[in-house]
Structures are given as structure tokens and as C-alpha cells.
């Protein structure tokens, strides 16, 4: 068991954490390839989640979504979330990309991915990162519905999802 803990600690030292907060869109496969190429070992699994702008909210049609953030603080929090995942699971690397600015329906908002030697760790780490992104990352979102701005409120189910990791 001690040898396994030492190996896990060593892996934690070489985990590659990639965080980007940007206005421009991203090409998911290019980002996954970038994560894979930055890993010290060949991953057995890379899992990913891509979030998109929905076209409906509370049964109303959305025209667009505006995402604001606090530069510097946002990146710091995303790095912290990625590092937390790397401490909980034996990961080879993570990537989180979150967009800001005006986004149209069906645009990509977020990519979260984790690389590991085994799929279970990669799946769980990706889910963990998304649960924490939804509840802890300093983003402010407003939807444009029928030419009016509606601020997006935190959802109880997101807080409940986050608590399962504590």
C-alpha cells in the first residue's frame, strides 16, 4: 500500500493541468490531443465533457447567453479545481476550457477532460471537475429571452451533485 501511495504522489507531481478562459471557440479533438501529448505516460483513458448553450430555459426560448468572469480569479479557481481532481484520482493530466462573452445557442461553453491510466479515475475526475465548475467557478451568466436579460441562478441539483464528492 505504501508503494502505491508513493507512486500516486509521484504521479501528482507530474500531472499536467491545462486551464484556458477564452472568448474564442475551441476544437475539442485538438484539445484532447494536446492533453494526451502533454502526459508523461500514454493514457489508458481520456474522458471529456463538452457543454453547449441550450435553446430553452424554464420553457422559454433563449436567444443567446452572456458569460462574464473576473480575469485572474477565474483561472486561479479553475486550476484549483483541476488540482483537487488530481489529488483525488491518479491522473496524468487535466484540461478545462471555459468560454466567456456572448454565445449563441448550440455554441460550446466548456470542455473538461481528464487523462488517466484507467477509465474509472478519468470518468470520476471529469464529473468532479464539472460539478465544481458549476458551483464554485466565478462565472456570471445571463440569458437573453425575448429581448430581456435574465440572470442564471444557481441550481439546487448542482449543489447536491457537488456534495457527493465531499
Amino acid at each position: 500500500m505504501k508503494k502505491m501511495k508513493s507512486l500516486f504522489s509521484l504521479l501528482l507531481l507530474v500531472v499536467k493541468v491545462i486551464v484556458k478562459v477564452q472568448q474564442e471557440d475551441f476544437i475539442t479533438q485538438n484539445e484532447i490531443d494536446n492533453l494526451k501529448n502533454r502526459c508523461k505516460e500514454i493514457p489508458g483513458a481520456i474522458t471529456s465533457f463538452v457543454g453547449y448553450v441550450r435553446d430553452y430555459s424554464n420553457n422559454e426560448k433563449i436567444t443567446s447567453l452572456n458569460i462574464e468572469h473576473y480575469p485572474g480569479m477565474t483561472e486561479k479557481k479553475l486550476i484549483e479545481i483541476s488540482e483537487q481532481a488530481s489529488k483525488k484520482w491518479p491522473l496524468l493530466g487535466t484540461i478545462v476550457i471555459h468560454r466567456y462573452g456572448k454565445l449563441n445557442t448550440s455554441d460550446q461553453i466548456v470542455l473538461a477532460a481528464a487523462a488517466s491510466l484507467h477509465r474509472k479515475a478519468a470518468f470520476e475526475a471529469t464529473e468532479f471537475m464539472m460539478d465544481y465548475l458549476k458551483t464554485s467557478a466565478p462565472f456570471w451568466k445571463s440569458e437573453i429571452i425575448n429581448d430581456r436579460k435574465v440572470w442564471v441562478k444557481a441550481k439546487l441539483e448542482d449543489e447536491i451533485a457537488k456534495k457527493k464528492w465531499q
Side-chain angles (χ1 to χ4, degrees), residues 145-163:
I145 301 173
N146 297 324
D147 293 327
R148 71 183 200 283
K149 184 181 199 176
V150 178
W151 288 100
V152 177
K153 296 177 184 168
K155 295 179 183 170
L156 178 60
E157 59 261 26
D158 292 331
E159 288 296 334
I160 292 168
K162 177 183 165 183
K163 285 186 182 194

Side-chain angles (χ1 to χ4, degrees), residues 67-166:
I67 302 173
E68 300 175 30
H69 76 106
Y70 192 90
M73 180 169 62
T74 304
E75 291 83 356
K76 183 177 177 183
K77 188 63 176 181
L78 299 185
I79 290 168
E80 180 184 303
I81 291 167
S82 298
E83 288 175 343
Q84 284 178 309
S86 296
K87 288 177 184 171
K88 289 178 89 58
W89 292 276
L91 302 178
L92 301 172
T94 62
I95 186 166
V96 174
I97 300 173
H98 204 297
R99 295 179 64 198
Y100 67 92
K102 182 183 176 191
L103 302 173
N104 296 311
T105 57
S106 81
D107 283 352
Q108 297 181 120
I109 302 172
V110 64
L111 167 66
S116 181
L117 294 175
H118 302 284
R119 65 185 158 91
K120 185 171 182 176
F123 274 122
E124 290 176 353
T126 301
E127 184 178 10
F128 169 90
M129 289 188 299
M130 280 309 305
D131 288 343
Y132 272 73
L133 280 168
K134 292 286 288 180
T135 56
S136 301
F139 289 101
W140 299 273
K141 299 176 183 179
S142 59
E143 299 166 331
I144 304 303
I145 301 173
N146 297 324
D147 293 327
R148 71 183 200 283
K149 184 181 199 176
V150 178
W151 288 100
V152 177
K153 296 177 184 168
K155 295 179 183 170
L156 178 60
E157 59 261 26
D158 292 331
E159 288 296 334
I160 292 168
K162 177 183 165 183
K163 285 186 182 194
K164 78 178 176 189
W165 303 112
Q166 298 170 344

Side-chain angles (χ1 to χ4, degrees), residues 48-86:
S48 63
F49 172 87
V50 179
Y52 297 90
V53 178
R54 291 183 298 258
D55 60 347
Y56 278 88
S57 178
N58 298 320
N59 296 320
E60 294 188 273
K61 185 147 180 61
I62 296 172
T63 307
S64 62
L65 176 70
N66 191 52
I67 302 173
E68 300 175 30
H69 76 106
Y70 192 90
M73 180 169 62
T74 304
E75 291 83 356
K76 183 177 177 183
K77 188 63 176 181
L78 299 185
I79 290 168
E80 180 184 303
I81 291 167
S82 298
E83 288 175 343
Q84 284 178 309
S86 296

